[in-house]
Amino acid sequence: MKYHFNEIEAKWQKYWAENQTFKAENNSDKPKYYVLDMFPYPSGAGLHVGHPLGYIASDIYARYKRHQGFNVLHPQGYDSFGLPAEQYAIQTGQHPAITTAENIKTYRRQLDQIGFSFDWSREVRTSDPSYYKWTQWIFIQLFNSWYNNESDKAEDISELERIFSSEGNANVNAVCDDNIEPFSAEAWNGFDSVKQQQILLQYRLTYLAETEVNWCPALGTVLANDEIVNGVSERGGHPVIRKKMTQWSMRISAYAERLLQGLDKIDWTDSLKESQRNWIGKSVGASVSFNVLANNENDSHAELVEASHKIEVFTTRPDTIFGVSFMTLAPEHDLVSKITTPEQKAEVEAYIAATAKRSERDRMADVKTITGAFTGAYAEHPFTKAPIPIWIGDYVLAGYGTGAVMSVPSGDQRDYDFAKHFNIPIPNIFEGVDISEEAFADKDKTVIANSDFLNGMNYKKATKRAIYELEQMGQGEGKTNYRLRDAVFSRQRYWGEPFPVYYVNGMPQMIDAEHLPIKLPEVEKYLPTETGEPPLGNATVWAWDTINNKVVSNDLIDNETIFPLELNTMPGWAGSSWYFNRYMDPDNQNEMASKEAMDYWQDVDLYIGGSEHATGHLLYSRFWQKFLFDKGVVPVDEYAKKLINQGMILGTSAFVYRVNDYPNVYVSKGVADIISSSKDTNKVVDSVNLIVDKIGKPDLIIGFNSIHTDVSFVNSSDELDIEAFKNWREEYKNAEFICEEDGTFKVKREVEKMSKSKYNVVNPDNIVTDYGADSLRLYEMFLGPLEQYKPWNTAGITGVHSFLKKLWKLYADDNGLKVSDATPTKDNLKTLHKTIKKVQEDIENFSFNTSVSTFMIAVNELTAQKCTSKDILEPLLVLISPYAPHIAEELWSQLGYNESISTAPFPEFDASHLVESSKNYPISFNGKMRFTMELPLDMSKDAIEEAVLEHEKTKEQLAGRTPKKVIVVPGKIVNIVG
């Protein structure tokens, strides 16, 4: 009976699919357990061996929980809206839906062949209209809600309208836009519909507003901060600029405090929690209002401009207000264009243009570069009334706080550096502190000086007094601020969820939920229109008929009953912000998910995915969950109890050296290393001559650059297949190679992220064909701790493959199954139960790598013990089943079982089998061990001595002599002296 792994794995994958072995029930007497992976975007490249790492870990845990008697929900689906499919559509004209469907087929085939225990009956795709119908529905709920600070939750907008109509907005405590003008009930009732809608937009949880965004001209769309890397788009590496656009936004800021507090009740990694805390960025301080002054041509003094010109700042250090020597505005601040003097206009505009080319992340990260421009305007200090120059600087961000700071150079290093650079005064407001070299920022040691009524006070007292005085003057108040900004929710793309929105008199109207989904229209081109509208501007059938409640031709728009639809689409994170709830009841046509299903499953018990989503998906999804909880849609306000971030499997890239300025000449690594670093002059000269002879230029200054080559062209000895490289691309066809002395061409190796662009991808299809899915699963776990980064080395998989062969031989040989009903020995039971204990501990602690080692030890021991006992080998299969399910299923069926091993009870650990009842004593003569002797552990010292002296080997060693002394240490040693 041979181990034909390819046949075995195909057999059991077919069995699982036909029998729906892993289908979860929404009503079960078993306890529930919900295991979830972050669902993948189905890219054209398919999976590489790095992708399944987290999936294998979650699958082991899901299978383990089934063995423990849980009703396990372990679903999978696809985050199938995405920019790559749209870019491919732009290049080829092929509809993104076709591309996506083909990619999903590849992903499904690859996932199935690795043997995951997914419940595929619950598959979701975010690009499926039956799914995004409910994404659109959630958007409508957000639009029809506001955040009531009094009840600390979202409420229906109709309640806010009721308050406005009965008492105006003076007493409304809501999260809303800044600078909302007060109005009475009488005024509200007198406003026309458009005015009322404009006011309500300032309170809604999703709203239209002019917003600073990251605009990528090459991609023709807005990008989120996490879609930008080093100032360029993550997709394609295109330049990104900052510009203002009217966009849909989500008022996630309303949930800032609850998002912070919620972190205390979920079991997520500390590093991820810290990332979210920093992103939310809570700070306590004061809001301060500075009046703007204008220069009077006939007077050197400044005088007040119209009252609307005020600069609102938030500061965590109101105690330092007397140290303000200048103000700094974000270059994008609305006030800049209004206050800049004619003399400074050119400089300010040039600076704004330059800043627009830098992303916010770049600006925050760059603490060394000091730039800025003086506006020519001044503000008035609230207390001293002295004029304060107003500058703009890119270290201030428009979207954080108010987009303005009161700059206190003596107390803030960035302000200090700015002031030094531009020769701005640095008043010292700290008692007994030298600020000649750097700012002083130690709050605990602060004693305020040169600050009028704050003199001599410490940080806490001065802060409290400063806020009191500002409130008395009407120029400030105590305030808690958050770095978290409202999330831009519009994308100028085709391949995304359409908004269920049409426009009447420029105001957005929601389409009734009963008419959802609003499906993506057909378009001829997937690029923005010639007039700069998003791709949906190319649609000819994209208007809403309010009488017949359907999408109709644009030619019928009359702005009476037929109106234009929204041209933007939703961002990539929309569909992923609630998919975990849809898995609970994926076929429900009437609700997002039924109350019964959500009450049963409640939340995700274990969520596994990458830490790169910490401030994107994992924050947005928590926001949506809390909102849906407020609205009574979901039963819990945190959707994932436990979250683990898996690490990354790295690729071993291959690089070829080529000669600078001669891109057609390639140099083997050994030759290049000699030229670059050898101290042997003769070797260097000889190596240089090889290149000179090839190029024909004796005065050449040799230098090299390295480029990636496909790892499939390189063997295990790092030798390049030159012909394969030359045939790879047209530009390499006539390449010339300077090889090693033995004629081989060596490449440089480097471990880095596994990526198609680095040509270091290892396809799991090949691994499964050559070694089997069980080998792949075991090897990925064996590489190291789940959360760590580790390099892939295909050669290493032979070890776990050999282990599986050895496991097979424990159960079967050429004559068939050799498992018997033999009574297990004491050693058999000891091996089994120490394995049960270790494997269970490892799974519970997600230490899957050490479990694989434990299996190897167990199989080696049982093989040495010549164990054939069914009482031992049967539970061993259950232990191994979560890791290597195919071989476990096959051997389980060979043992006579007709049902899948997947629900067999997990073996119970019995500690008594690990308790030693005897000791194998080393028997020494004059300190040299001669033989061993097994004796009961409870044997007395005298009895041990008597038994040893009676042993034949002792008599042989003594040869008739009487020993001088017998040293017995019970449980340890026996030493006979003399």
Side-chain angles (χ1 to χ4, degrees):
M1 202 166 101
K2 300 286 188 184
Y3 175 43
H4 297 296
F5 57 87
N6 293 123
E7 295 172 17
I8 290 168
E9 290 176 357
K11 168 187 171 181
W12 288 103
Q13 287 163 15
K14 184 170 182 285
Y15 174 91
W16 295 330
E18 289 176 350
N19 291 276
Q20 292 192 297
T21 304
F22 309 115
K23 184 177 172 62
E25 299 298 331
N26 276 6
N27 293 299
S28 173
D29 294 332
K30 297 179 179 180
K32 72 94 181 180
Y33 201 88
Y34 185 176
V35 181
L36 183 64
D37 301 291
M38 291 183 185
F39 60 172
Y41 170 74
S43 71
L47 295 173
H48 61 62
V49 292
H51 290 126
L53 179 67
Y55 301 160
I56 295 169
S58 66
D59 197 59
I60 289 169
Y61 208 83
R63 287 175 178 273
Y64 166 67
K65 282 296 183 181
R66 289 192 194 96
H67 286 308
Q68 286 195 314
F70 284 83
N71 177 29
V72 175
L73 174 56
H74 187 35
Q76 187 57 284
Y78 303 97
D79 194 7
S80 48
F81 275 130
L83 192 54
E86 182 161 334
Q87 290 296 104
Y88 188 72
I90 291 168
Q91 293 161 11
T92 65
Q94 180 167 285
H95 196 287
I98 297 171
T99 310
T100 301
E102 288 299 316
N103 294 348
I104 285 175
K105 282 182 187 176
T106 301
Y107 265 66
R108 176 62 188 272
R109 176 186 60 77
Q110 290 184 300
L111 291 168
D112 282 346
Q113 74 178 7
I114 299 173
F116 294 119
S117 63
F118 294 133
D119 178 357
W120 283 110
S121 70
R122 296 175 184 254
E123 177 191 314
V124 300
R125 302 180 184 186
T126 57
S127 60
D128 187 326
S130 66
Y131 179 87
Y132 69 67
K133 165 185 179 177
W134 299 104
T135 309
Q136 293 173 336
W137 178 83
I138 294 169
F139 177 84
I140 293 170
Q141 308 314 304
L142 284 155
F143 182 82
N144 289 328
S145 300
W146 63 294
Y147 199 90
N148 187 344
N149 282 327
E150 296 297 332
S151 60
D152 198 24
K153 68 175 188 176
E155 296 182 1
D156 197 273
I157 201 75
S158 60
E159 172 61 14
L160 188 62
E161 291 180 274
R162 186 196 65 75
I163 295 171
F164 287 170
S165 64
S166 61
E167 56 187 83
N169 69 346
N171 297 317
V172 171
N173 184 7
V175 179
C176 54
D177 291 356
D178 295 329
N179 304 317
I180 291 180
E181 294 185 9
F183 54 81
S184 63
E186 184 180 4
W188 170 262
N189 294 323
F191 293 149
D192 62 22
S193 173
V194 171
K195 177 68 172 175
Q196 288 184 343
Q197 289 179 61
Q198 288 172 339
I199 292 171
L200 288 172
L201 270 178
Q202 296 178 301
Y203 291 86
R204 295 184 188 274
L205 285 180
T206 186
Y207 59 94
L208 273 177
E210 192 176 64
T211 310
E212 277 281 336
V213 296
N214 302 307
W215 173 252
C216 180
L219 297 177
T221 189
V222 168
L223 298 177
N225 282 331
D226 57 348
E227 295 173 310
I228 302 167
V229 178
N230 298 323
V232 297
S233 64
E234 185 178 35
R235 174 73 180 174
H238 302 295
V240 177
I241 62 172
R242 300 285 294 172
K243 66 181 289 189
K244 286 188 175 179
M245 295 178 68
T246 298
Q247 301 282 290
W248 283 102
S249 288
M250 288 276 171
R251 212 179 293 277
I252 188 174
S253 58
Y255 285 84
E257 185 62 29
R258 284 173 62 187
L259 287 167
L260 271 179
Q261 297 302 323
L263 292 172
D264 293 335
K265 65 178 184 179
I266 51 179
D267 182 11
W268 290 17
T269 61
D270 289 340
S271 59
L272 194 144
K273 286 184 177 183
E274 196 58 26
S275 292
Q276 290 206 353
R277 287 190 185 102
N278 291 336
W279 193 258
I280 295 166
K282 182 178 181 179
S283 49
V284 178
S287 174
V288 186
S289 179
F290 288 79
N291 295 317
V292 177
L293 304 168
N295 288 326
N296 188 313
E297 291 181 6
N298 301 316
D299 194 333
S300 61
H301 295 288
E303 62 181 31
L304 221 61
V305 186
E306 53 190 293
S308 61
H309 283 191
K310 293 179 181 289
I311 299 174
E312 299 291 336
V313 304
F314 172 80
T315 177
T316 58
R317 297 294 305 272
D319 60 312
T320 65
I321 194 164
F322 283 92
V324 177
S325 63
F326 62 103
M327 308 286 294
T328 314
L329 307 184
E332 308 88 350
H333 197 290
D334 290 337
L335 206 55
V336 174
S337 60
K338 298 174 184 175
I339 65 172
T340 300
T341 62
E343 295 82 2
Q344 295 299 116
K345 186 177 181 183
E347 182 185 344
V348 166
E349 288 180 349
Y351 185 76
I352 292 171
T355 303
K357 296 174 183 175
R358 303 186 71 200
S359 73
E360 288 196 356
R361 284 192 174 184
D362 285 345
R363 287 162 59 180
M364 286 192 292
D366 184 4
V367 296
K368 294 180 179 179
T369 307
I370 301 170
T371 62
F374 178 44
T375 64
Y378 292 81
E380 180 186 68
H381 193 285
F383 295 120
T384 68
K385 307 304 179 185
I388 305 166
I390 303 171
W391 287 70
I392 59 173
D394 67 358
Y395 71 99
V396 182
L397 305 178
Y400 175 50
T402 63
V405 299
M406 58 174 227
S407 300
V408 182
S410 62
D412 180 274
Q413 193 59 43
R414 253 196 153 168
D415 292 344
Y416 185 93
D417 295 339
F418 192 95
K420 282 279 188 181
H421 186 80
F422 290 107
N423 295 315
I424 300 171
I426 304 177
N428 190 353
I429 53 161
F430 302 109
E431 190 175 292
V433 173
D434 178 13
I435 59 164
S436 60
E437 298 295 330
E438 61 181 359
F440 178 73
D442 189 336
K443 291 190 289 191
D444 295 333
K445 295 180 180 178
T446 290
V447 177
I448 299 296
N450 302 317
S451 299
D452 198 354
F453 52 83
L454 300 180
N455 287 342
M457 294 184 183
N458 62 23
Y459 158 71
K460 287 185 178 178
K461 285 186 177 179
T463 295
K464 191 174 180 180
R465 176 68 185 276
I467 292 172
Y468 171 79
E469 295 293 344
L470 286 165
E471 288 174 344
Q472 293 301 302
M473 298 170 64
Q475 283 194 246
E477 61 180 352
K479 187 179 180 181
T480 299
N481 200 47
Y482 300 90
R483 182 182 290 115
L484 181 67
R485 286 163 282 166
D486 289 345
V488 176
F489 198 67
S490 299
R491 296 293 184 270
Q492 292 65 44
R493 296 176 185 162
Y494 173 78
W495 193 232
E497 297 91 344
F499 284 90
V501 174
Y502 64 96
Y503 287 87
V504 178
N505 297 322
M507 298 305 298
Q509 313 295 320
M510 296 297 115
I511 293 169
D512 286 345
E514 63 187 291
H515 307 306
L516 301 179
I518 304 302
K519 298 180 181 179
L520 273 173
E522 296 295 321
V523 295
E524 281 190 24
K525 295 179 180 178
Y526 301 100
L527 286 165
T529 67
E530 292 178 0
T531 54
E533 293 175 320
L536 289 188
N538 293 309
T540 56
V541 181
W542 197 236
W544 185 249
D545 183 337
T546 57
I547 302 298
N548 298 302
N549 294 307
K550 65 179 184 178
V551 178
V552 297
S553 170
N554 296 359
D555 295 337
L556 300 176
I557 293 174
D558 58 12
N559 289 313
E560 292 181 2
T561 61
I562 299 175
F563 301 93
L565 283 157
E566 172 66 64
L567 299 182
N568 289 305
T569 53
M570 297 185 195
W573 56 267
S576 63
S577 290
W578 70 280
Y579 75 111
F580 35 84
N581 290 313
R582 186 62 175 173
Y583 281 138
M584 298 177 186
D585 194 10
D587 299 319
N588 195 323
Q589 298 300 308
N590 303 313
E591 299 171 278
M592 186 181 92
S594 71
K595 183 178 187 302
E596 292 75 21
M598 287 194 285
D599 283 347
Y600 176 73
W601 291 110
Q602 291 275 320
D603 50 17
V604 176
D605 294 282
L606 174 64
Y607 196 17
I608 295 184
S611 59
E612 66 272 18
H613 301 290
T615 57
H617 156 65
L618 290 171
L619 196 60
Y620 298 138
S621 53
R622 292 183 61 223
F623 158 45
W624 276 31
Q625 182 76 6
K626 289 182 183 297
F627 167 73
L628 292 170
F629 176 75
D630 286 353
K631 301 295 282 187
V633 178
V634 297
V636 291
D637 72 339
E638 291 287 353
Y639 68 87
K641 288 177 184 170
K642 183 176 184 66
L643 183 140
I644 293 176
N645 298 131
Q646 87 276 8
M648 187 181 290
I649 290 180
L650 304 171
T652 305
S653 299
F655 295 85
V656 292
Y657 286 110
R658 62 181 176 185
V659 181
N660 289 344
D661 302 322
Y662 290 87
N664 217 30
V665 179
Y666 295 85
V667 180
S668 184
K669 180 179 182 294
V671 178
D673 287 349
I674 288 171
I675 294 172
S676 302
S677 57
S678 178
K679 294 180 180 179
D680 187 327
T681 306
N682 291 330
K683 282 187 176 181
V684 173
V685 170
D686 289 344
S687 297
V688 169
N689 285 338
L690 289 173
I691 299 173
V692 169
D693 291 345
K694 184 75 71 176
I695 295 170
K697 287 200 173 185
D699 57 344
L700 179 72
I701 298 174
I702 303 292
F704 308 106
N705 59 81
S706 59
I707 61 168
H708 284 93
T709 186
D710 197 303
V711 293
S712 64
F713 305 156
V714 183
N715 66 18
S716 58
S717 300
D718 296 343
E719 296 165 357
L720 178 71
D721 182 337
I722 290 175
E723 289 307 310
F725 180 80
K726 290 170 77 171
N727 293 328
W728 185 26
R729 291 181 180 174
E730 186 64 29
E731 63 261 38
Y732 303 150
K733 192 174 181 181
N734 298 313
E736 296 186 73
F737 295 84
I738 297 167
C739 299
E740 306 291 329
E741 288 182 1
D742 61 3
T744 61
F745 187 96
K746 298 275 190 176
V747 300
K748 179 178 79 166
R749 289 289 202 170
E750 193 172 296
V751 173
E752 56 184 349
K753 181 180 179 181
M754 192 173 285
S755 166
K756 186 180 174 184
S757 65
K758 301 180 189 300
Y759 308 106
N760 62 359
V761 165
V762 177
N763 192 325
D765 294 4
N766 301 331
I767 302 297
V768 169
T769 299
D770 295 343
Y771 300 98
D774 285 341
S775 292
L776 175 66
R777 291 169 64 105
L778 283 169
Y779 184 54
E780 294 221 359
M781 294 298 96
F782 189 55
L783 283 172
L786 177 63
E787 68 281 2
Q788 289 185 5
Y789 283 44
K790 45 251 175 188
W792 175 270
N793 180 7
T794 301
I797 202 169
T798 57
V800 292
H801 188 59
S802 297
F803 158 72
L804 288 173
K805 290 179 181 176
K806 197 166 187 178
L807 173 68
W808 183 268
K809 288 177 182 176
L810 190 60
Y811 291 79
D813 57 22
D814 292 343
N815 300 316
L817 201 68
K818 60 181 187 182
V819 179
S820 69
D821 291 324
T823 302
T825 67
K826 185 172 63 174
D827 285 343
N828 293 164
L829 289 165
K830 181 179 178 182
T831 295
L832 174 65
H833 284 274
K834 73 177 181 181
T835 304
I836 294 170
K837 182 175 187 291
K838 184 70 169 72
V839 170
Q840 186 157 19
E841 287 173 354
D842 285 346
I843 293 177
E844 295 282 2
N845 293 318
F846 304 95
S847 301
F848 304 116
N849 56 314
T850 49
S851 280
V852 180
S853 304
T854 301
F855 292 140
M856 292 175 174
I857 293 167
V859 168
N860 285 340
E861 288 183 1
L862 293 172
T863 301
Q865 295 161 13
K866 295 183 171 53
C867 176
T868 61
S869 172
K870 188 177 182 180
D871 291 345
I872 299 298
L873 298 184
E874 192 175 280
L876 180 66
L877 276 184
V878 180
L879 290 178
I880 289 176
S881 170
Y883 292 78
H886 305 91
I887 192 172
E889 288 277 23
E890 180 63 21
L891 291 172
W892 187 254
S893 71
Q894 293 292 337
L895 290 174
Y897 290 97
N898 295 320
E899 298 294 321
S900 166
I901 195 174
S902 61
T903 53
F906 199 81
E908 290 189 18
F909 169 62
D910 184 345
S912 67
H913 293 299
L914 301 189
V915 175
E916 301 287 355
S917 59
S918 63
K919 165 70 179 176
N920 201 28
Y921 281 91
I923 311 300
S924 300
F925 293 82
N926 297 317
K928 293 182 180 180
M929 200 270 285
R930 298 300 184 187
F931 67 93
T932 60
M933 186 174 176
E934 188 161 346
L935 297 169
L937 271 173
D938 58 358
M939 205 172 193
S940 70
K941 191 173 180 181
D942 291 342
I944 293 171
E945 181 177 335
E946 182 181 343
V948 170
L949 290 174
E950 287 297 318
H951 199 280
E952 288 183 7
K953 288 187 178 181
T954 303
K955 292 175 180 178
E956 185 181 314
Q957 286 289 328
L958 290 173
R961 299 191 315 274
T962 300
K964 294 179 180 177
K965 185 166 54 173
V966 178
I967 301 169
V968 177
V969 180
K972 293 190 176 180
I973 62 160
V974 177
N975 185 29
I976 299 171
V977 181

